[in-house]
Amino acid sequence: MKKIYLIIVAAFIFILSLIFSVFFMKVTVVTDNFETEIALNESVKYEDIYLISKSLYRTKEINVSEDMIVSCDDTTTIGEKKLVIKYNYKKYEINFNVKYRVDFVVDNKIVNSQLISSINELNIPSNIYKEGNEFIGWFPEIPNNIKTNIEFVAQFTDKPLEIPTLKSPSVARITLLIPPGTKYFSASI
């Protein structure tokens, strides 16, 4: 009888300690790798979020899975959004911002990528250079406002052949480099 009583008391204490640890469990949401700014229409990378659960007995790291997501605001409009995660009957909110992605491309390579909410935040790259060419602008032209993700491609023209001009009559030696395959060439001095 005494043995049964001790088993019941031990079980009761164990159950009380479990309940106590659940009530006093501290859960921390860790978003170190989570992108708090994402581009319009991109999916939220909830895999980069994890929870650290600390109780009286242990510390546990929990990766967020799709079944833990209660709700996630859509990313089809810009602005502040919210991701809600449920763990152990509690909800945790994570804020993120949806912005427009603007890419600047030179020779099929993105040389600058920005996330912006309005055209006023846009930093247009300067000093765009391509050997033997002259930068003439972006295509399409930079608009007054922005309503979607957009890519601007650098436009170039061949640099014209520069022939030096002489201010006074004198003898000058001019070397012209004519590309192979050029059929006609004229110059006046």
Side-chain angles (χ1 to χ4, degrees):
M1 180 83 164
K2 191 174 184 180
K3 210 177 199 182
I4 294 175
Y5 177 70
L6 286 173
I7 292 172
I8 292 173
V9 169
F12 182 72
I13 290 172
F14 178 73
I15 291 171
L16 277 178
S17 69
L18 285 177
I19 291 170
F20 183 77
S21 71
V22 168
F23 277 114
F24 293 100
M25 181 185 310
K26 182 179 179 188
V27 176
T28 306
V29 179
V30 180
T31 58
D32 290 342
N33 296 327
F34 180 71
E35 294 293 329
T36 55
E37 290 185 343
I38 66 169
L40 186 70
N41 296 322
E42 279 187 3
S43 55
V44 177
K45 294 182 177 74
Y46 61 82
E47 305 89 10
D48 291 338
I49 304 168
Y50 61 95
L51 308 175
I52 296 178
S53 171
K54 291 183 181 179
S55 67
L56 294 174
Y57 301 109
R58 64 185 172 154
T59 298
K60 183 178 171 186
E61 188 176 298
I62 301 108
N63 292 327
V64 171
S65 60
E66 194 169 347
D67 59 328
M68 296 170 72
I69 307 293
V70 174
S71 67
C72 183
D73 293 344
D74 70 59
T75 61
T76 58
T77 58
I78 67 164
E80 288 189 22
K81 307 293 180 169
K82 194 177 295 183
L83 171 68
V84 180
I85 299 169
K86 187 174 184 181
Y87 176 71
N88 272 3
Y89 308 104
K90 292 183 182 176
K91 292 181 181 177
Y92 303 92
E93 294 180 355
I94 298 163
N95 296 318
F96 63 97
N97 219 336
V98 176
K99 295 186 172 191
Y100 300 119
R101 178 178 304 284
V102 179
D103 293 330
F104 291 92
V105 178
V106 177
D107 279 344
N108 296 320
K109 294 178 188 165
I110 296 174
V111 294
N112 185 295
S113 186
Q114 301 173 35
L115 291 174
I116 63 170
S117 297
S118 74
I119 199 74
N120 297 337
E121 297 174 13
L122 185 63
N123 292 316
I124 301 169
S126 58
N127 299 330
I128 302 301
Y129 177 76
K130 181 177 172 184
E131 191 171 331
N133 297 74
E134 183 177 358
F135 176 69
I136 57 173
W138 297 102
F139 180 81
E141 288 185 20
I142 309 293
N144 292 331
N145 61 16
I146 191 163
K147 295 183 179 175
T148 188
N149 295 339
I150 193 164
E151 180 179 273
F152 296 104
V153 179
Q155 300 296 302
F156 295 93
T157 184
D158 290 334
K159 281 187 179 177
L161 182 61
E162 293 182 21
I163 299 175
T165 57
L166 302 174
K167 294 185 179 172
S168 62
S170 63
V171 177
R173 183 177 171 178
I174 300 173
T175 304
L176 299 174
L177 298 174
I178 302 171
T182 304
K183 292 183 180 181
Y184 303 102
F185 179 79
S186 69
S188 60
I189 298 179

